[in-house]
Amino acid sequence: MADIIRLLPDHVANQIAAGEVVQRPASVVKELIENAIDAKASIIKLIVKDGGKSLIQVVDDGMGMSATDARLSFERHATSKITDAQDLFNLNTKGFRGEALASIAAIAHVDMQTRTENQELGTQLRIEGSKVVMQEPTVAPKGTSVAVKNLFFNIPARRNFLKSNQVELRHITDEFHRVALAHPNIGFHFFNNGFELFNLPKTNLRQRIVHVFGSKMNERLVPVEEETQVAKISGFICKPEFAKKSRGSQFFFANDRFIKSPYLHHAVMAAFEGLIKPDTVPGYFLYLQVAANSIDINIHPTKTEVKFDDENTLYAILRSAVKHALGQFNVAPALDFERDPNLDPPYAYQRKGAVMPKVTFDADFNPFEEKSGPEGVRRASQRTSAKGWENLYTGLETIASHEFQGNSVETAPTEKLFDDTDETVLHDVSTFQLRRKYIVTTIKSGLLVIDQNRAHQRVLFEQFLREMTIDEGLSQQLLFPLELNFSSEELRLLKEIEENLRSMGFSFTYRANGPLSVEGVPLSAERGDIQQLLDELIAGYREGISHGELSPAEILARTLSKALAVKNGEALAAESQLALVNGLFSCKEPMLSPFQKMTYITISESDIDKKFR
């Protein structure tokens, strides 16, 4: 039998490695920025075009590389970070495997310019699909510039799996946030299609968080500080009243590296227990400093999943630190046994005794007693005689027997909600609310039980979709415009969905370097919290485009319907119950909510009969 095992060519091996390192444009951004940080850069610029598909460029002012190092950096397993296997257990740098540049160059066009501080000329290197096309001296500033163009140009199948430009830009922005938050001592600039999205100067941690997430974040932050022999914990948590239903502001950093840890997240949730609603998540920015030999960051190619030597102790320390911060800054409720002097009686009444109130009444008064004289006449005139009360019920037996003869009752005809041929015909329009959660009414075959929250979501969902389609959403103009603050990233997302929001009834204007002025809102949202509503719209849109399964209009309609729908626990008047039933069954898809959950169930008469057997 002939030998069948052979070594793979280098370009094939590089493409296979690229599948582990480069999943999407955001992976390239992460690797290039981490290399710039390891090069001790003080200013890093990120330039992106078309969601990273056409161009990803990272420019830094770090140490730079010589001509030999520049060429060698694109070889597999070439790195300056480690020398032997023991160094893997004492890592203090971002990259260390030496596969990032080799993997990127295998599936893209790469152009690098680099120069060290003591060199007069730099080096320019151009690689296409692992092949060095050009290397020559060039004039370049100190530092390194790496431009990655036409990602996955030689792997069409991988390129077809990329999402839209908006989705890929969302992932790039997430990676940028993680790196920028981990290094507030480095200035960052982020450009997308020629427009500057972020300009983050060197600052402290609190100001970096505010610059990334907007000025409204400043009032929400509560500092956390704890130092033990196992770990040093610092950072900020958000106040419980600002907890949200969707995730987005939860960040863990271990030794200045972003990590994902469901176990540590549970520790934070345990500290917030009893302070937030069960379906909400608090925001936090927590930084852990542990010994380099007590953490393993090499268990996953993306290096976001790590393993701590003593996770149980770290869990207890983190939970205690968050609880201490909540209590120290009077965020957590506490019992106060001190006497409130405002509740004391006034000084002039402190020494006065209790006085029995005087009540005057006529003990001899009898309303049924007939008295002669003027007093008797006056009392008799103030009351009605009780004699003859039996005459009020005379003849009722005859009327009752006449009207109820034959066990039939004539009532006014009622309007039917559905056609008689429909299974869900309501023969009686009467409804009642069960535990302020369900609306119960009768149909031809038995009972109809409707979830009021899901049903209203379906009604609003189709209403908003219709308004965005025909652009006829009604708007309630505000007497005094609301001034709302949003971060630059949130304003960018609002501009992406501006047309749909205006079709639904929103009216707002942008101000240069200022708050957003909301001048009108949809009729169904005029009584709600507009700031919270727009926050939920932005969060829902951000999460929706990350999955890429729904159109922007559907994402907005679904998010807004969930925010404005009547909640379980709210009492509804009979007219509102009937209107909701009519509105539900006039929808195109009444059976399912916008989130694909059942809106109603039917209980047949036979099912009820079985309960009595």
Side-chain angles (χ1 to χ4, degrees):
M1 181 177 177
D3 297 334
I4 60 176
I5 297 178
R6 58 185 180 274
L7 293 174
L8 288 174
D10 288 341
H11 69 280
V12 177
N14 287 338
Q15 288 185 1
I16 295 174
E20 297 181 355
V21 178
V22 183
Q23 300 177 353
R24 58 191 338 138
S27 306
V28 177
V29 172
K30 177 179 182 294
E31 298 291 347
L32 295 183
I33 293 182
E34 287 184 347
N35 284 342
I37 294 173
D38 287 339
K40 297 179 172 57
S42 60
I43 300 293
I44 299 176
K45 295 181 180 179
L46 171 63
I47 303 171
V48 173
K49 288 185 180 180
D50 300 329
K53 300 174 185 177
S54 301
L55 172 67
I56 299 173
Q57 185 175 5
V58 174
V59 183
D60 67 71
D61 60 349
M63 296 184 299
M65 291 181 286
S66 64
T68 303
D69 287 344
R71 177 64 185 86
L72 194 59
S73 64
F74 286 94
E75 297 294 332
R76 292 191 65 195
H77 309 305
T79 180
S80 62
K81 314 298 174 56
I82 60 176
T83 56
D84 54 35
Q86 191 62 31
D87 293 339
L88 292 173
F89 302 98
N90 192 24
L91 291 170
N92 295 298
T93 58
K94 302 290 185 181
F96 52 87
R97 293 196 304 268
E99 293 185 4
L101 290 179
S103 300
I104 295 171
I107 43 92
H109 297 161
V110 180
D111 191 344
M112 172 189 283
Q113 294 184 7
T114 182
R115 182 179 73 85
T116 61
E117 186 175 7
N118 55 4
Q119 288 180 324
E120 294 184 358
L121 290 177
T123 301
Q124 182 175 6
L125 189 65
R126 187 172 299 164
I127 300 178
E128 298 178 358
S130 295
K131 296 181 180 179
V132 179
V133 177
M134 181 264 291
Q135 181 176 359
E136 61 184 19
T138 186
V139 177
K142 171 182 171 292
T144 303
S145 171
V146 181
V148 179
K149 305 175 183 178
N150 304 322
L151 195 64
F152 298 122
F153 79 99
N154 53 354
I155 311 180
R158 289 289 302 274
R159 189 176 180 89
N160 292 336
F161 273 99
L162 295 179
K163 304 296 183 181
S164 66
N165 293 345
Q166 292 179 347
V167 174
E168 297 301 337
L169 179 62
R170 177 68 253 163
H171 287 284
I172 292 174
T173 305
D174 289 341
E175 290 293 346
F176 179 81
H177 285 171
R178 295 166 181 174
V179 178
L181 291 173
H183 300 276
N185 58 328
I186 300 177
F188 289 91
H189 301 269
F190 184 6
F191 298 88
N192 175 54
N193 294 333
F195 296 96
E196 187 177 51
L197 296 183
F198 291 94
N199 184 353
L200 307 178
K202 301 178 184 179
T203 183
N204 55 36
L205 177 57
R206 188 184 192 106
Q207 288 302 315
R208 174 56 56 88
I209 296 173
V210 172
H211 288 157
V212 172
F213 293 98
S215 58
K216 61 182 179 181
M217 183 63 74
N218 190 34
E219 63 179 8
R220 305 179 181 182
L221 298 179
V222 175
V224 178
E225 288 288 342
E226 190 70 40
E227 186 171 1
T228 65
Q229 295 180 349
V230 177
K232 177 183 178 182
I233 299 176
S234 60
F236 297 90
I237 55 176
C238 293
K239 297 177 182 178
E241 58 264 31
F242 297 105
K244 296 183 178 180
K245 293 185 178 180
S246 59
R247 294 195 179 189
S249 301
Q250 291 77 36
F251 294 89
F252 275 118
F253 300 92
N255 294 355
D256 296 333
R257 182 191 301 275
F258 173 79
I259 64 171
K260 295 179 181 178
S261 177
Y263 187 64
L264 296 182
H265 173 76
H266 188 273
V268 177
M269 295 297 293
F272 275 89
E273 186 177 4
L275 301 177
I276 60 176
K277 296 180 180 179
D279 57 344
T280 58
V281 184
Y284 53 80
F285 308 86
L286 296 173
Y287 296 74
L288 286 70
Q289 291 291 334
V290 298
N293 57 4
S294 66
I295 180 175
D296 185 2
I297 60 177
N298 197 29
I299 64 175
H300 194 272
T302 62
K303 294 172 288 186
T304 57
E305 298 181 12
V306 299
K307 179 67 176 177
F308 295 97
D309 285 351
D310 193 356
E311 285 189 333
N312 294 334
T313 303
L314 195 60
Y315 179 99
I317 296 173
L318 180 60
R319 179 184 175 186
S320 175
V322 174
K323 270 187 169 294
H324 179 69
L326 291 172
Q328 183 179 5
F329 292 91
N330 297 324
V331 177
L335 293 177
D336 186 6
F337 295 99
E338 295 183 359
R339 180 179 56 83
D340 188 352
N342 294 324
L343 301 180
D344 292 343
Y347 180 78
Y349 290 86
Q350 288 183 356
R351 300 183 180 277
K352 287 189 175 182
V355 179
M356 181 68 67
K358 296 180 180 180
V359 179
T360 58
F361 63 96
D362 185 2
D364 298 329
F365 173 71
N366 185 354
F368 300 101
E369 182 182 1
E370 294 291 345
K371 291 187 177 180
S372 58
E375 182 67 20
V377 173
R378 184 176 64 83
R379 290 181 176 177
S381 63
Q382 292 178 348
R383 67 176 185 270
T384 303
S385 176
K387 294 182 178 180
W389 63 268
E390 299 91 343
N391 299 330
L392 295 175
Y393 299 93
T394 304
L396 284 182
E397 295 84 352
T398 306
I399 297 174
S401 62
H402 175 72
E403 291 190 355
F404 292 93
Q405 187 175 3
N407 295 327
S408 64
V409 181
E410 293 185 3
T411 58
T414 57
E415 181 183 356
K416 295 183 179 179
L417 301 179
F418 308 96
D419 186 73
D420 288 338
T421 58
D422 196 305
E423 178 64 19
T424 57
V425 173
L426 298 181
H427 293 284
D428 188 356
V429 295
S430 62
T431 61
F432 71 91
Q433 196 177 20
L434 178 62
R435 297 189 179 277
R436 296 187 177 183
K437 184 177 182 181
Y438 302 105
I439 298 174
V440 183
T441 187
T442 57
I443 57 175
K444 182 178 180 180
S445 61
L447 290 178
L448 182 71
V449 184
I450 301 174
D451 187 302
Q452 65 184 34
N453 175 253
R454 296 180 183 178
H456 200 202
Q457 287 181 14
R458 167 53 64 177
V459 174
L460 292 177
F461 175 74
E462 296 197 4
Q463 172 189 332
F464 292 138
L465 278 183
R466 185 167 56 253
E467 290 175 352
M468 283 186 282
T469 302
I470 63 179
D471 194 14
E472 291 185 359
L474 298 178
S475 177
Q476 173 64 50
Q477 296 300 306
L478 302 178
L479 183 60
F480 300 101
L482 296 176
E483 304 290 338
L484 304 180
N485 293 313
F486 293 97
S487 64
S488 58
E489 171 64 13
E490 292 172 333
L491 288 176
R492 183 187 67 81
L493 292 176
L494 281 176
K495 290 180 179 179
E496 290 183 6
I497 58 179
E498 179 179 358
E499 183 178 352
N500 290 328
L501 291 178
R502 294 189 185 278
S503 300
M504 299 166 70
F506 283 99
S507 175
F508 46 81
T509 56
Y510 298 96
R511 296 184 179 180
N513 300 324
L516 181 74
S517 179
V518 180
E519 300 166 351
V521 296
L523 291 179
S524 54
E526 58 179 329
R527 296 184 179 179
D529 187 342
I530 306 304
Q531 175 77 60
Q532 182 180 356
L533 181 60
L534 288 176
D535 286 341
E536 292 184 15
L537 281 175
I538 293 172
Y541 177 68
R542 180 189 290 119
E543 182 179 356
I545 62 174
S546 299
H547 295 85
E549 299 175 354
L550 301 175
S551 65
E554 290 176 318
I555 295 172
L556 292 178
R558 190 169 70 166
T559 304
L560 197 58
S561 65
K562 181 179 180 181
L564 298 180
V566 60
K567 301 298 186 291
N568 291 331
E570 293 186 23
L572 298 180
E575 295 80 3
S576 300
Q577 298 174 24
L578 185 57
L580 183 56
V581 175
N582 287 332
L584 176 63
F585 287 98
S586 63
C587 294
K588 296 180 180 179
E589 185 61 50
M591 184 172 292
L592 296 175
S593 74
F595 299 89
Q596 303 303 307
K597 295 182 179 180
M598 294 290 295
T599 59
Y600 69 87
I601 61 171
T602 57
I603 303 176
S604 64
E605 186 177 354
S606 60
D607 291 337
I608 300 175
D609 292 338
K610 292 178 181 179
K611 299 294 183 181
F612 291 93
R613 291 180 181 175

